[in-house]
């Protein structure tokens, strides 16, 4: 049996590390491979840019597939269903070189802000504020662009999941002494990442995946996978 595994190219690092159609691991990838290891199910990664991947999954071609999503995004609701056990929780940070607010407890701290976000991804809380003209969203094509805008004070800050910001800062060696991480949880509350499976997947396969994820969480396997990719702030050297 073949299970297609949907991989976002370039933008999902370190959840999925993939460039030029080739996948090279990542948190979600390692979890998916561990789930199906030793089974009769063959995992076939399908790697596309995010828009093309969504067109592909709705084309009727894929058959059975597995991907990741969050309930606040729910980008695959018309073609898939969540596995009921969360993988892990993510938090967002505001990365800035401007004098940062001490916290974002008051919505007024964002009034008039220009905030870089990754294009083609969903930020419902920020989009709601943008629709009320309280702030301006600046979509960027990749992490490097977002870092450059923040470092050069072309935006108020770059908002993204903290684990992805830190991983990509180190990977791209794009550092600056001025960069500050500010917890963005008052604006984007922490939320869980889940696996999603196609509507065509059998109930037995869904239950197998759900039970395997639960065992991996309880045994610490998912925590160990996360640990491979988690980078602390003091692991990011300043530039000379």
């Amino acid at each position: 049996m073949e299970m297609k595994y949907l991989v976002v190219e370039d933008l999902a690092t370190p959840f999925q590390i993939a460039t030029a159609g080739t996948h090279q691991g990542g948190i979600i990838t390692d979890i998916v491979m561990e789930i199906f290891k030793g089974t009769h199910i063959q995992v076939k990664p399908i790697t596309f840019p995010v828009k093309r991947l969504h067109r592909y999954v709705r084309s009727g071609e894929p058959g059975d597939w597995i991907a990741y999503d969050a309930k606040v995004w729910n980008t695959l609701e018309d073609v898939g269903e969540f596995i009921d056990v969360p993988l892990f929780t993510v938090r967002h940070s505001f990365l800035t070189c401007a004098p940062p607010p001490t916290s974002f407890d008051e919505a007024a701290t964002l009034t008039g802000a220009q905030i870089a976000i990754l294009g083609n991804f969903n930020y419902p809380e920020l989009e709601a504020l943008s629709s009320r003209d309280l702030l301006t969203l600046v979509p960027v094509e990749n992490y490097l662009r977002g870092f450059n805008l923040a470092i050069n004070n072309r935006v108020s800050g770059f908002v993204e999941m903290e684990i992805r910001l830190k991983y990509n800062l180190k990977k791209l060696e794009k550092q600056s002494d001025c960069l500050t991480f500010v917890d963005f949880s008052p604006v984007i509350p922490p939320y869980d990442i889940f696996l999603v499976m196609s509507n065509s997947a059998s109930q037995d396969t869904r239950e197998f995946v759900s039970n395997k994820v639960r065992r991996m969480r309880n045994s610490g396997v998912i925590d160990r996978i996360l640990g491979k990719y988690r980078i602390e702030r003091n692991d990011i050297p300043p530039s000379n």
Side-chain angles (χ1 to χ4, degrees):
M1 174 183 172
E2 183 177 86
M3 177 69 66
K4 293 187 174 68
Y5 166 50
L6 308 183
V7 178
V8 175
E9 189 172 273
D10 294 327
L11 286 181
T13 305
F15 286 4
Q16 297 171 320
I17 303 173
T19 302
T22 302
H23 76 100
Q24 302 165 329
I27 296 168
I28 306 294
T29 300
D30 289 358
I31 290 171
V32 169
M33 295 304 174
E34 181 66 26
I35 288 171
F36 293 110
K37 184 172 70 177
T39 71
H40 68 287
I41 298 174
Q42 179 183 3
V43 178
K44 181 180 180 181
I46 302 293
T47 303
F48 288 133
V50 61
K51 284 186 176 180
R52 185 176 174 189
L53 197 67
H54 280 276
R55 288 197 299 270
Y56 171 78
V57 80
R58 290 172 173 84
S59 68
E61 296 178 25
D64 290 350
W65 53 261
I66 190 166
Y68 79 92
D69 204 347
K71 292 186 177 180
V72 295
W73 310 334
N74 207 12
T75 57
L76 297 167
E77 64 176 330
D78 57 321
V79 287
E81 296 179 23
F82 285 99
I83 296 300
D84 59 353
V85 184
L87 300 177
F88 52 86
T89 303
V90 295
R91 295 177 179 272
H92 283 68
S93 281
F94 180 89
L95 184 66
T96 183
C97 271
T102 55
S103 76
F104 288 100
D105 293 337
E106 299 292 334
T109 57
L110 283 173
T111 301
Q114 292 184 311
I115 296 180
I117 56 171
L118 291 176
N120 300 319
F121 281 4
N122 293 332
Y123 303 83
E125 297 85 353
L126 290 177
E127 289 158 6
L129 293 173
S130 176
S131 70
R132 293 162 53 197
D133 294 325
L134 296 179
L135 54 81
T136 301
L137 296 180
V138 182
V140 296
E141 63 271 22
N142 54 45
Y143 284 95
L144 182 58
R145 177 63 174 160
F147 296 150
N148 284 338
L149 289 177
I151 289 170
N152 293 297
N153 286 313
R154 301 289 300 278
V155 294
S156 308
F158 180 19
V159 170
E160 186 34 46
M161 296 177 201
E162 183 175 279
I163 190 172
R164 301 209 298 206
L165 285 173
K166 290 181 176 179
Y167 183 92
N168 284 283
L169 269 173
K170 187 166 186 180
K171 173 191 170 190
L172 295 168
E173 299 181 349
K174 192 66 179 177
Q175 315 309 329
S176 174
D177 288 334
C178 71
L179 284 172
T180 301
F181 286 84
V182 184
D183 179 31
F184 210 58
S185 298
V187 181
I188 302 180
Y191 56 76
D192 292 327
I193 300 296
F194 292 82
L195 292 176
V196 180
M197 296 187 71
S198 57
N199 291 332
S200 63
S202 70
Q203 187 60 34
D204 286 346
T205 303
R206 292 179 191 282
E207 290 178 2
F208 166 78
V209 172
S210 177
N211 291 334
K212 188 66 180 282
V213 171
R214 186 174 290 106
R215 291 197 298 271
M216 289 170 65
R217 281 178 57 99
N218 293 341
S219 65
V221 170
I222 290 180
D223 283 340
R224 289 195 290 275
I225 290 172
L226 280 167
K228 291 168 52 181
Y229 299 93
R230 185 177 284 118
I231 293 172
E232 299 304 326
R233 185 67 184 96
N234 55 11
D235 292 330
I236 305 173
S239 58
N240 295 326

